[in-house]
Amino acid sequence: MRHTIILLLISGISVTGFSQSENASDQKLQLGFNFGINYSNLQSDENPLSNSAEFSNALGYQMGILVDYSLTDRLSLNPRVEIAFNNGTVIFPNASEIQDVHEVLPVGLDIITYLIYELGNGKNRPYILLGPDVKLPYLDKVRASYQFSSSTIVALDFGIGLNFTSEKHSFSPELRYSYGFSKQGHPFLKPFQLHSISLVVNVKS
C-alpha cells in the first residue's frame, strides 16, 4: 500500500513537471494529479436493516493521477486512476457489547473516464463533468469467515468544478457524486449500494 501511494505521488509530480514548457491554457494535453476527501454513503432498500445492523458513513481520503485532453475549446476527455480510502461500515450489535464492524470497500482503485464541459469565457471557468467509474477492491481484509469481501462497483459520477489557470499550471477544486449501481452482497443483509461524495483539488500542467 505504501509503495502504491508513493508511486502515485511521484507519477503526479513527474508528469506535471514534465509538461511545464507551454502555457497551461494553450496546451491540448495536460497531465497532473489530485488529492482530496470523500464521504461514503451506504444505502439499502431494506429499512430497518436485518439483524439490527446499522450503516456508518464517515470521511475518507483519496489521491490519483489524471490526463486531460482537449477535444474542443470547451470539451475535454479526462481519464483518471485514483486510490480511495473509504470509511463506510456495516455495524452489527453483539451480545458481549463488542460490535462487529464490517468495512465496505475500505481501499478502492478507481478507474475513471470523465467528459468535462467548461462554461463561460476567460482563464477561470466553471465546468461540469460526467462519466463512468469502476471501483476495484484493492486491499479488502476479511477477518472472519462470516464477513464478506467487497465486490467491484460500477458507478456513474457527476459533478461541478472551477478551473483556475495560471501561466504554467491549472488548479481545479471539484465536487462530485458517485452513484454506485452495483450492489454489495452480505451473508446477513439484503444487497446494498455504496455511493460517495468527493471534494478534490486537481493540479495540471
Side-chain angles (χ1 to χ4, degrees), residues 33-133:
F33 65 95
N34 65 13
F35 57 91
I37 59 175
N38 61 58
Y39 182 82
S40 296
N41 182 20
L42 294 171
Q43 292 186 358
S44 174
D45 294 333
E46 186 182 25
N47 188 20
L49 299 177
S50 302
N51 298 297
S52 300
E54 294 180 353
F55 288 146
S56 175
N57 298 307
L59 288 174
Y61 61 97
Q62 62 194 72
M63 63 191 72
I65 55 177
L66 60 90
V67 177
D68 190 86
Y69 182 77
S70 297
L71 301 174
T72 69
D73 183 51
R74 294 182 182 273
L75 185 67
S76 63
L77 185 66
N78 190 278
R80 309 178 182 191
V81 178
E82 297 178 355
I83 186 166
F85 298 85
N86 304 301
N87 202 3
T89 57
V90 183
I91 301 175
F92 290 90
N94 194 299
S96 63
E97 298 184 357
I98 300 176
Q99 294 178 327
D100 290 327
V101 179
H102 301 202
E103 298 175 324
V104 181
L105 198 69
V107 183
L109 187 66
D110 290 18
I111 311 298
I112 306 169
T113 303
Y114 290 149
L115 279 175
I116 292 180
Y117 185 78
E118 293 185 329
L119 308 169
N121 299 308
K123 289 186 176 181
N124 303 325
R125 297 184 181 182
Y127 63 85
I128 56 176
L129 64 86
L130 179 71
D133 180 355

Side-chain angles (χ1 to χ4, degrees), residues 13 25 30 51 63 82 116-117 123 127-128 130 142 147 149 153 164 172 177 179 185 199:
I13 294 170
S25 61
Q30 289 185 293
N51 298 297
M63 63 191 72
E82 297 178 355
I116 292 180
Y117 185 78
K123 289 186 176 181
Y127 63 85
I128 56 176
L130 179 71
V142 179
Q147 292 187 325
S149 178
I153 297 173
F164 297 95
S172 307
Y177 188 82
Y179 184 93
L199 178 62

Side-chain angles (χ1 to χ4, degrees), residues 39 76 138 145 155 171 176 178:
Y39 182 82
S76 63
Y138 186 60
S145 60
F171 305 89
R176 66 187 196 234
S178 183

